[in-house]
Amino acid sequence: MKTNIIKGIAVAVLAGGFFACKPDNAGKNGGSEIAGDAAQKVYVAPGKHDEFYNIVSGGFNGQLSVVGLPSGRVFRIIPVFSQFAENGWGYSEETKPMLNTSHGFVPWDDSHHVALSTTNGEHDGRWAFINGNNTPRIARVSLSTFRTDEIIELPNSGGNHSSPFITANTEYAVAGTRFSVPPDANADVPISSFKQNFKGYISFVSIDKTTGHMGVKFQLKTPGVSFDLARAGKGKSDGWFFFSCYNTEQAASLLEVNASQKDKDFILAVNWKKAEEYLAQGKGKKEAAKYAHNVYDEKTHSANSTILTEVMTLDPKECPGMLYFMPCPKSPHGCDVDPTGSYIVGSGKLAAVIPVFSFDKMQKAIASKTFDGDFDGIPVLKYDAVLHGEVKKPGLGPLHTEFDGQGNAITSFFVSSELVKWNIEKLEVLDRVPTYYSVGHLCIPGGPTAKPHGKYVIAYNKITKDRYLPTGPELTQSAQLYDISGDKMKLLLDFPTIGEPHYAEAIPASLVEKNTKKIFKLEENNHPYVAKGEKETKVVRKGNEVHVYMTSIRSHFTPDNIEGVKMGDEVFFHVTNLEQDWDVPHGFAVRGAQNAEILIMPGETSTLRWKPTKVGVTPMYCTDFCSALHQEMQGYVRVSSAGSNVPLTWGTGKTPTAEAEKKTASAKPKLNTPKVAMK
Ligand code: RUQ
Ligand code: CUA
């Protein structure tokens, strides 16, 4: 280990940056000190399932990836704050409203923290929540469809980083604003008026027990500091919330220097049950704000976006006993609560120790008013009075801590590139292993819950350098899987990640796989443009809009020939997948479509909007290899000039022209579909 940690950090800071270095023992044997039985421990035989789902944030790609553990295999990418060409999410007419905000359509964001729903502090396998950091939003993703079900924007916020963290019974997803901002309703103020006008907002987003539906129940209007991370209390500390705060200097410029002045910043303790009491007493104030609430309906297969105009706020100055600051060395990042709810771990990025706070001591200090003055009217508790103790010389640049359920914590160290295991009661370092390189978050299955599942820890590394085949200037980030079932942590596996993972959670597959949705029931499909059978297919003109009520089934579309579309028309292909079998999606693509292709699940209706740009006959086809005759799953649309009088006709198994001829001969056309082998 480095001998003079403080000096090392000071030099790094003075040099104008907070750089990472390779672990001391990285060079020796290229980090090949893997466990001898590693291959066996991560090998999931063909046809066998992984033990855990790992739900991993994609960082700057605004998505989630679903990974199996211990294999590290990627099963799915879930678009959340992104458009996704693979299945048309955010491109189809039904899903576009999911990306609506008070700023308009914002189809990207930066996602950091995953939070899986819990009941009594334990994983219940229902939902995953994730933040949009840049245009502040929280999304709820269903763990039955693995789709984004709901997105709510957060008013009065900037940099929704400390988000979303959920309470023990998923009553709330809580979000703290990383960039303090002036309130939306009175935002045109000089930047130099930071101390007077900028506020740190904390949003309590309520979650409906049954439907999961979210709403901003209230916001706390706190002093202007940066909330970085947070955790809810649990067990004895249920009802409290803890936030790490940096920039208590309240700087608005050159933060790398100006927000690193004080030796101690804070952890903010929020008594949210008390906040609810104040709210019930009518202490809340409604403030004007504008924010979007987008909900996806599984029955209409469509999303709806509503713009809300008011938010309830609580001012701590009028709510004594609701907030307390605990001093925390220096510029804390992670703020983690152990499984029992007794201890709160602050990870000061620039600190030489890891402080561990005691919830019991905090309660005593509050009762005896052991304060060290106040910060902007909020009592500051005495450091020594709330401290359980400090882990000495743990490493350089601590970021995050997870728990193994055996009384131990594992903390990630960005600067010294390592994971360090220590005992929570005794505060003794037990083990350390290098990471390759510069670990950010880490994840123990169930690590943030009251009942960790343990077994593994995964390090999410920011830098890979020489670890993989090079791919030009942009290299993959990586995850590393360690066995933590013994006394010593053992490296088992390296695998590349999708995007730049920040946080991730892992949950036993048994809690999730039984609930997986296999199909959408056709009889429950309430899409306004559904065709529940080929008999219901039609093409309807409404002025310049042409609506095609289309179906797909192995291996044809109905209709697959359309004539009478004209230049200047806007064509909406509403495609219903008639299949009622698991794993039989159909795709749909039209030459020259300017937005995307779509992928339609069994029983679902999805709409591709197409504005023809050329006169002629345009092919359309299925993009998902669905059957032995998938290559035959195609059709044509004829586009005529604007003034043409080609009539609107359509069909399958006959060309529209032949159809017109037969009609005159009053013959009944036969549907001529080949029988095909099923997938
Ligand atoms: S952060 S690498 Cu955005 Cu959670 Cu710590
Ligand atoms: Cu349907 Cu290929």
Side-chain angles (χ1 to χ4, degrees), residues 564-633:
V565 171
K566 292 176 224 166
M567 289 297 290
D569 283 349
E570 230 184 328
V571 184
F572 294 87
F573 295 98
H574 308 287
V575 188
T576 302
N577 180 347
L578 296 179
E579 309 280 357
Q580 293 286 271
D581 260 353
W582 197 16
D583 200 18
V584 193
H586 290 286
F588 183 74
V590 183
R591 188 177 72 186
Q594 300 89 347
N595 44 5
E597 303 155 11
I598 50 177
L599 195 65
I600 312 118
M601 296 305 128
E604 184 186 25
T605 305
S606 188
T607 303
L608 182 74
R609 175 185 170 274
W610 175 56
K611 219 168 154 30
T613 51
K614 285 179 187 167
V615 167
V617 175
T618 295
M620 53 193 183
Y621 71 103
C622 169
T623 53
D624 185 288
F625 209 108
C626 52
S627 72
L629 292 174
H630 155 78
Q631 288 297 81
E632 280 71 15
M633 197 164 172

Side-chain angles (χ1 to χ4, degrees), residues 604-675:
E604 184 186 25
T605 305
S606 188
T607 303
L608 182 74
R609 175 185 170 274
W610 175 56
K611 219 168 154 30
T613 51
K614 285 179 187 167
V615 167
V617 175
T618 295
M620 53 193 183
Y621 71 103
C622 169
T623 53
D624 185 288
F625 209 108
C626 52
S627 72
L629 292 174
H630 155 78
Q631 288 297 81
E632 280 71 15
M633 197 164 172
Q634 63 156 79
Y636 292 105
V637 194
R638 176 179 168 194
V639 178
S640 304
S641 59
S644 115
N645 53 13
V646 175
L648 195 61
T649 51
W650 64 90
T652 292
K654 64 249 171 192
T655 62
T657 344
E659 158 79 342
E661 280 163 11
K662 275 182 187 166
K663 249 184 196 155
T664 33
S666 66
K668 220 177 167 221
K670 254 193 276 156
L671 185 75
N672 198 8
T673 311
K675 291 258 186 298

